[in-house]
Amino acid sequence: MIEDLPPLMGIETEYGIIRENAEDSDPVEESMALLKASDALSVFGAWSYRFENSHQDLRGFRVRSLAQDEEEDEFCEQDRERPYSYHDMKCDRTLSNGARFYNDHTHPEYSTPECNDLFQLVAHDIAGEHIVARAAELRNKALGGPHVQLFKNNTDYVGHSYGTHDNYMVARDVPFESIVSALVSFLVTRQLYAGSGKVGYEGRNESFSGLQLAQRSDFIESILSIETMTQRPIINTRDESHAGKEFRRLHLILGDANMSAYATALKVGATRLALGLVAAGEAPVLELEDPVADVKKISRDLTGRASLRLKSGKTITALEVQEAFCEAAQRCYAGKSEELNWVVSEWARTLSELKHAPEKLADRIDWAIKADLFQGFMEEESLDWDDPWLKSLDLEYHNLDPERGLYRGLEQEGRVLSLFKESEISEAVDNPPQGTRAWIRGNMVRYYTNDIQSIHWTGMKLKDDSVIDLTELTDPDAVEQWMNSNKEQWIWK
Amino acid sequence: MEMNDPKRKEERREAEPDQGDGGPSSPKTERPGRDSILKRMKRVDPKQSERYKQRTGQ
């Protein structure tokens, strides 16, 4: 059973950025300046796009181009007039912790190194917050004040969304159709604990007043699609494995950026187990009649009791879908390891608390933290959900500035659950995850910075034209074997 | 990195003796900093989100 679990996972987060002392904050200029300000130990500008393949579809075809809306088309036209090359605007940094920090569609993006341990991954996701915030601190020092602000969220409340993608390495011999038929109901309902909460609504959906479970749900418009900037799907079909031919990378773009480490751990941990259940043929198959509509329906009901129609004609609640997956995961994974025990027990506990005592989630699940915080504030200030102040508070919850961010404030007061010691996050800021190919990448960046000509998830080319190919190093044994075979050549201390 | 290492549990028990269900423990519930977070919230400009314009990402 453990062998069915995805061996590697990663999280990509696009951050919101704004310069407050400029009348029209220019995201291209600000994002470039932020990346240039970063003092993270890294190789700059050497990312190899030769290995990127975002046009290949998992369903067996290749698309000629990816779509974006008219507004973005116009922006891209304007960008072509700027005195910068594509690579200038990307400002790629590959970091000594194995991560990638760069600009993606004008958003500073931190992509964690690929990890084989859940808590290793969550620590690296939080490390990303620290690295981005440090770059903002340096940028603001140069500007003479706290003018540039960074937000770990997914919306600007007027229809522009940017992503937080969770990625899982999945064996290619698991039929894609099996993944779709079982996983869709899991994915549309995991927002019960993975949603980071959003005030109001966006898009062409029916209007809504109040707090939604998730930021991203208004933007999900299809079940399957290779697109990421429009017609966003429940399951993205981009076939870009960054690994050998026996694997695919499941690239999930429907999720939110979580400020709560606990929520991130539960989201990724439960999704990994759901994928293991699919691979083992143990996943509940609860096919929804209209999952795209259900994403929004579930997001607008904080109780988890939204009624969903199955293809069979029966109905089921969002909570019941999650309970079915959680029970299957308990049967298959309880007692297998400490990490798996943590996931199945916290998953069950969260669903139970949502059902019986949702107020208990107010220290660990982002939407519930917001609900508690904002309701108290609304009472204090006699506001209702339509007051614009609520959206501003919602935005500020995600601000990385320790002096301003509301989640940061809650952390400082000890009101939210912390999974890590400061020293563990510092370790992840500087060091790559052990037992992964990212360990090799990160240490090459640290000790051979000036020798690297180009670099990618799957390897690197050195200035003497030699190549280090990490494509097949997907498990700790393979990594150790590689390190033993190369210990005379590369000295990492 | 292990969540359930005994050392970490020990630290949590010392800090929050009233929690005994084996999972991550809740912070204290009396909310000593309630006023402080409220002050921080009151400092948020009500119009801030209206100025926050982003470009579409992935």
Side-chain angles (χ1 to χ4, degrees):
Chain A
M1 281 296 185
I2 286 185
E3 63 274 11
D4 294 317
L5 294 172
L8 290 174
M9 308 163 280
I11 300 173
E12 310 158 74
T13 305
E14 296 172 2
Y15 285 83
I17 184 168
I18 191 160
R19 181 166 165 184
E20 293 183 329
N21 68 336
E23 198 161 313
D24 289 309
S25 176
D26 182 339
V28 174
E29 296 288 349
E30 293 310 324
S31 297
M32 287 175 66
L34 182 88
L35 261 294
K36 286 178 180 166
S38 172
D39 64 353
L41 181 55
S42 57
V43 170
F44 185 81
W47 192 258
S48 176
Y49 285 88
R50 196 163 67 87
F51 296 101
E52 305 282 291
N53 187 15
S54 58
H55 291 46
Q56 185 65 35
D57 194 291
L58 281 169
R59 293 165 291 183
F61 54 87
R62 188 175 166 76
V63 297
R64 296 183 80 174
S65 61
L66 298 172
Q68 52 196 18
D69 61 23
E70 283 180 19
E71 182 191 50
E72 193 55 28
D73 282 340
E74 278 179 32
F75 279 133
C76 288
E77 195 63 40
Q78 291 163 20
D79 289 346
R80 279 191 273 277
E81 304 298 316
R82 294 176 190 265
Y84 308 121
S85 70
Y86 180 76
H87 283 88
D88 286 341
M89 288 196 273
K90 286 287 185 183
C91 288
D92 273 288
R93 286 188 183 276
T94 311
L95 310 186
S96 66
N97 69 356
R100 185 183 178 198
F101 181 27
Y102 73 118
N103 286 321
D104 197 9
H105 297 280
T106 73
H107 292 273
E109 172 168 329
Y110 178 85
S111 303
T112 68
E114 55 277 61
C115 296
N116 57 28
D117 174 285
L118 177 64
F119 298 104
Q120 190 185 57
L121 174 64
V122 180
H124 274 278
D125 183 59
I126 300 170
E129 295 174 16
H130 288 243
I131 289 164
V132 174
R134 168 69 179 160
E137 183 188 337
L138 292 168
R139 170 71 174 139
N140 282 327
K141 202 170 175 183
L143 289 171
H147 303 308
V148 171
Q149 299 290 315
L150 273 296
F151 301 85
K152 190 187 185 193
N153 73 342
N154 303 102
T155 184
D156 70 352
Y157 303 95
V158 288
H160 303 104
S161 184
Y162 34 98
T164 300
H165 306 165
D166 44 323
N167 297 277
Y168 306 85
M169 183 179 278
V170 179
R172 200 170 280 272
D173 60 12
V174 179
F176 185 59
E177 298 73 24
S178 305
I179 294 175
V180 175
S181 61
L183 204 65
V184 166
S185 64
F186 167 82
L187 291 173
V188 303
T189 53
R190 74 173 188 175
Q191 57 186 313
L192 294 180
Y193 44 86
S196 70
K198 180 171 81 175
V199 174
Y201 79 105
E202 291 163 281
R204 297 182 295 273
N205 311 308
E206 286 176 28
S207 66
F208 172 79
S209 176
L211 182 73
Q212 295 198 46
L213 290 177
Q215 302 223 322
R216 194 75 160 165
S217 294
D218 282 336
F219 300 97
I220 301 303
E221 298 181 278
S222 62
I223 299 172
L224 298 176
S225 169
I226 195 170
E227 302 295 346
T228 55
M229 296 180 74
T230 182
Q231 286 297 307
R232 293 185 183 94
I234 295 166
I235 294 180
N236 182 248
T237 55
R238 181 186 294 178
D239 192 359
E240 191 178 33
S241 71
H242 300 320
K245 286 179 181 163
E246 69 274 33
F247 291 105
R248 60 167 65 96
R249 175 175 60 117
L250 193 65
H251 177 236
L252 297 176
I253 72 162
L254 82 164
D256 283 359
N258 294 107
M259 295 303 293
S260 160
Y262 178 95
T264 302
L266 198 51
K267 171 179 70 180
V268 177
T271 306
R272 189 188 195 195
L273 297 199
L275 283 165
L277 292 172
V278 173
E282 298 287 342
V285 178
L286 301 164
E287 292 190 274
L288 298 168
E289 194 172 81
D290 191 354
V292 173
D294 290 340
V295 175
K296 297 160 189 71
K297 188 177 185 181
I298 295 162
S299 187
R300 294 165 187 218
D301 169 44
L302 303 186
T303 71
R305 290 179 171 83
S307 180
L308 317 173
R309 183 168 289 278
L310 295 167
K311 282 184 180 174
S312 66
K314 294 180 180 172
T315 58
I316 192 167
T317 68
L319 248 173
E320 287 166 345
V321 171
Q322 281 295 315
E323 285 169 343
F325 274 90
C326 184
E327 285 162 17
Q330 283 177 315
R331 281 196 299 277
C332 293
Y333 296 111
K336 304 288 186 193
S337 74
E338 288 193 350
E339 177 184 314
L340 297 179
N341 278 346
W342 187 92
V343 176
V344 293
S345 63
E346 292 306 314
W347 190 0
R349 169 170 138 146
T350 298
L351 297 178
S352 173
E353 288 182 348
L354 177 57
K355 202 172 186 175
H356 302 295
E359 68 280 1
K360 288 188 176 176
L361 302 176
D363 64 354
R364 60 192 70 188
I365 299 297
D366 286 299
W367 68 260
I369 298 169
K370 285 183 180 177
D372 179 57
L373 200 59
F374 297 169
Q375 273 158 3
F377 190 77
M378 286 161 69
E379 284 166 23
E380 179 97 2
E381 297 291 326
S382 302
L383 304 174
D384 61 32
W385 282 110
D386 293 325
D387 193 293
W389 205 350
L390 267 299
K391 279 184 181 165
S392 296
L393 292 167
D394 191 8
L395 174 63
E396 204 68 346
Y397 177 88
H398 298 269
N399 193 329
L400 296 187
D401 187 335
E403 303 291 321
R404 284 181 42 175
L406 299 187
Y407 190 84
R408 289 286 173 265
L410 294 169
E411 281 182 319
Q412 290 155 18
E413 292 177 6
R415 288 182 52 189
V416 287
L417 193 66
S418 170
L419 292 188
F420 302 100
K421 298 175 198 164
E422 277 183 33
S423 60
E424 290 171 323
I425 301 304
S426 299
E427 170 80 12
V429 165
D430 292 329
N431 297 295
Q434 295 206 21
T436 70
R437 63 185 186 182
W439 177 259
I440 298 167
R441 181 188 316 117
N443 278 299
M444 288 301 292
V445 167
R446 175 178 298 278
Y447 294 108
Y448 295 93
T449 319
N450 296 324
D451 295 311
I452 294 172
Q453 185 184 141
S454 64
I455 193 162
H456 185 254
W457 300 114
T458 53
M460 65 204 76
K461 187 174 185 181
L462 303 178
K463 286 180 180 168
D464 65 2
D465 284 341
S466 62
V467 171
I468 295 176
D469 185 358
L470 307 176
T471 309
E472 304 292 339
L473 304 187
T474 51
D475 66 77
D477 290 342
V479 172
E480 189 177 351
Q481 198 175 359
W482 188 96
M483 288 168 68
N484 285 334
S485 306
N486 291 275
K487 64 185 175 190
E488 305 296 328
Q489 191 173 0
W490 307 112
I491 298 163
W492 291 339
K493 54 187 172 184
Chain B
M1 192 169 289
E2 298 282 355
M3 264 305 298
N4 289 333
D5 69 284
K7 201 173 168 187
R8 184 188 297 273
K9 273 189 173 172
E10 195 59 38
E11 284 174 1
R12 289 204 180 285
R13 277 195 208 102
E14 284 168 15
E16 294 125 19
D18 58 334
Q19 300 292 324
D21 56 3
S25 308
S26 296
K28 288 177 184 174
T29 53
E30 61 267 31
R31 297 180 179 174
R34 185 86 187 171
D35 287 340
S36 185
I37 194 71
L38 274 175
K39 280 181 193 162
R40 190 177 281 222
M41 292 170 84
K42 284 180 183 175
R43 282 200 301 270
V44 173
D45 180 348
K47 302 283 184 189
Q48 186 186 334
S49 72
E50 292 174 9
R51 291 191 296 274
Y52 181 71
K53 299 289 183 290
Q54 297 293 297
R55 274 173 61 173
T56 294
Q58 296 205 66

